[in-house]
């Protein structure tokens, strides 16, 4: 079996397939695993710059989170964040008693743990899938690594890349012409908001109130988190997420100008003049940050024989838990399709 994407959806799909006795190859174009569960070092700081926390509502993902917790890789952060209407407004504490979880040393802890703790699975990073094609009862995935193209053949394929990237893969291999037209039309409706994530290493503690994060309902900034209070950074450090609308309007702007503007917006939460308060900074531009359309089913099958299935956070439930649940559902569907065929 081949899985495209070593984010939480791909890793949970692989875990399900491996538990059923299948051997799995996961390919991911990035250098590491985790996808949008991403953690980065900025100077001496550690910053989560994609997903910031996760919640647990269902049993299947709950079992994975509990196992990660038992292995020391996931912790409860808090039971709710401060909320404000916009970045210029005063936040109010808004705990609701429902646990918000984090990776113990950053959000990548959980995907890293899953990748290491799933026997029967080989994870190949730095490998970009470029085309998916049907050849009789097999799927052939063309992948590229360091300029070398290779063909991987499999009885089935799970694609967890953001949907526009999945469609590119199918178009390049002829699956858009040969696949289920209804499924492809549904996939064509999925869109995402972009997001700029600014990470700041600070000289002294930020002024963000406990437990170290503010959610903004509107305006240019959607989220502000203190990675030191959160427990992942050894030194004071902030993560700032710009809203989808704000990020889209500046998507192709010069990164330094975007970072300067974001620093200006969060200045009230810095201890002093930004010129001295900020030790180092890094800007990440997420093109496909959060889906703005969620399809009603946990997976979409582009082909039944051989099974080719799309899943991830745009399917039935968004965010980390939604993506994980979608990955598991896709793997179960694929196993049933293979058993029936
Ligand atoms: C800024 C931001 C903030 C967020 N905040 C939260 C939050 O606080 N809580 C929450 O629950 N969720 C949050 N999310 C959403 C959450 O991160 C995602 O819903 C979830 O991680 C999606 O997982 P996934 O496996 O579906 O996709 P991804 O994590 O995107 O994984 C897909 C993988 O596919 C790989 N890939 C893509 N194309 C190819 C290709 N051609 N070949 C090989 N590999 C490929 C990518 O490199 C990636 O690793 C946030 C996301 C962002 C960006």
């Amino acid at each position: 079996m081949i899985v495209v994407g070593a984010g939480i959806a791909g890793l949970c799909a692989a875990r399900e397939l491996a538990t059923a006795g299948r051997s799995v190859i996961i390919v991911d174009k990035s250098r590491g695993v985790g996808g949008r569960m991403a953690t980065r070092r900025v100077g001496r700081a550690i910053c989560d710059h994609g997903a910031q926390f996760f919640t647990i509502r269902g049993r299947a993902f709950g079992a994975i989170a509990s196992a990660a917790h038992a292995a020391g890789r996931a912790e409860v952060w808090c039971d709710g964040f401060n909320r404000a209407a916009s970045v210029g407004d005063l936040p109010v504490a808004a705990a609701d008693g429902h646990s918000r979880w984090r990776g113990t040393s950053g959000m990548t802890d959980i995907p890293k743990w899953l990748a290491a703790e799933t026997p029967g699975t080989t994870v190949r990073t730095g490998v970009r899938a470029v085309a998916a094609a049907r050849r009789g009862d097999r799927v052939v995935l063309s992948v590229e690594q360091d300029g070398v193209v290779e063909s991987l053949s499999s009885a089935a394929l799970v694609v967890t890349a953001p949907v526009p990237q999945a469609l590119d893969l199918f178009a390049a291999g002829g699956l858009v012409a040969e696949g289920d037209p209804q499924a492809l039309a549904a996939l064509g409706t999925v869109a995402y908001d972009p997001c700029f994530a600014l990470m700041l290493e600070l000289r002294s503690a930020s002024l963000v109130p406990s437990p170290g994060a503010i959610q903004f309902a509107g305006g240019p900034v959607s989220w502000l988190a203190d990675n030191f209070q959160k427990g992942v950074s050894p030194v004071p450090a902030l993560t700032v997420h710009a809203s989808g609308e704000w990020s889209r309007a500046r998507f192709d702007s010069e990164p330094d100008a975007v970072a300067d503007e974001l620093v200006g917006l969060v200045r009230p939460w810095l201890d002093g003049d930004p010129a001295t308060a900020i030790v180092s900074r890094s800007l990440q531009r997420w093109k496909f940050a959060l889906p703005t359309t969620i399809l009603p089913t946990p997976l979409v099958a582009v082909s039944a024989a051989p099974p080719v299935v799309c899943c991830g956070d745009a399917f039935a439930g968004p965010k980390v838990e939604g993506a994980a649940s979608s990955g598991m559902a896709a793997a179960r569907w694929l196993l049933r399709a293979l058993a029936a065929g």
Side-chain angles (χ1 to χ4, degrees):
M1 311 277 106
I2 302 175
V3 175
V4 175
I8 193 74
L11 290 163
C12 287
R15 186 179 168 95
E16 202 74 17
L17 294 170
T19 304
R22 304 281 180 162
S23 73
V24 185
I25 295 175
I26 310 182
V27 296
D28 199 296
K29 64 185 171 128
S30 300
R31 270 179 303 160
V33 303
R36 281 171 278 162
M37 294 180 80
T39 309
R40 180 183 295 172
R41 182 174 284 280
V42 180
R44 291 196 303 132
I46 307 277
C47 297
D48 283 326
H49 60 100
Q52 299 290 299
F53 65 94
F54 61 90
T55 49
I56 303 170
R57 305 202 184 258
R59 255 189 254 166
F61 181 62
I64 290 177
S66 295
H69 177 57
R73 307 304 288 271
E75 296 292 334
V76 172
W77 175 1
C78 60
D79 63 355
F81 304 107
N82 302 285
R83 288 177 188 269
S86 183
V87 70
D89 298 309
L90 211 56
V92 289
D96 58 13
H98 195 75
S99 296
R100 270 66 165 183
W101 289 75
R102 62 174 173 86
T104 301
S105 56
M107 290 297 278
T108 42
D109 268 18
I110 295 124
K112 278 182 182 163
W113 168 78
L114 273 172
E117 291 302 309
T118 308
T121 299
T122 306
V123 183
R124 292 180 59 187
T125 53
V127 176
R128 176 188 294 271
V130 290
R134 284 198 303 212
R135 296 279 180 273
D137 62 353
R138 308 281 292 174
V139 189
V140 175
L141 186 74
S142 303
V143 298
E144 186 266 326
Q145 182 172 28
D146 300 329
V148 179
V149 177
E150 179 190 351
S151 290
L152 305 174
S153 172
S154 173
L157 177 68
V158 179
V159 180
T160 70
V163 175
Q165 294 176 325
L167 286 171
D168 287 347
L169 207 57
F170 300 146
L175 261 177
V176 162
E178 297 169 11
D180 176 343
Q182 247 183 314
L184 290 159
L187 293 174
T189 65
V190 177
Y192 294 76
D193 264 344
C195 176
F196 279 108
L198 177 68
M199 293 152 269
L200 302 173
E201 179 193 5
L202 302 179
R203 202 166 299 283
S204 54
S206 84
L207 305 181
V208 175
S210 170
I214 310 171
Q215 285 173 316
F216 301 101
V221 175
S222 58
W223 171 262
L224 176 61
D226 180 327
N227 294 282
F228 179 73
Q229 283 190 61
K230 183 178 184 179
V232 302
S233 179
V235 297
L238 292 180
T239 299
V240 186
H241 283 162
S243 69
E245 196 184 339
W246 194 94
S247 301
R248 184 170 288 105
R250 289 157 185 80
F251 196 70
D252 294 315
S253 300
E254 211 269 312
D256 268 341
V258 173
D260 285 345
E261 212 179 328
L262 282 173
V263 166
L265 288 164
V266 300
R267 192 188 188 298
W269 305 106
L270 304 178
D271 182 18
D273 187 335
T276 48
I278 298 170
V279 179
S280 59
R281 71 184 195 183
S282 174
L283 186 75
Q284 160 84 24
R285 188 181 70 161
W286 294 102
K287 186 172 182 187
F288 301 110
L290 297 170
T292 51
T293 332
I294 306 287
L295 295 175
T297 53
L299 61 111
V300 165
V302 174
S303 159
V308 176
V309 60
C310 285
C311 59
D313 66 341
F315 299 82
K319 306 216 156 195
V320 167
E321 177 165 19
S325 304
S326 171
M328 289 185 268
R332 287 195 293 268
W333 178 87
L334 193 145
L335 290 166
R336 279 198 304 276
L338 286 174

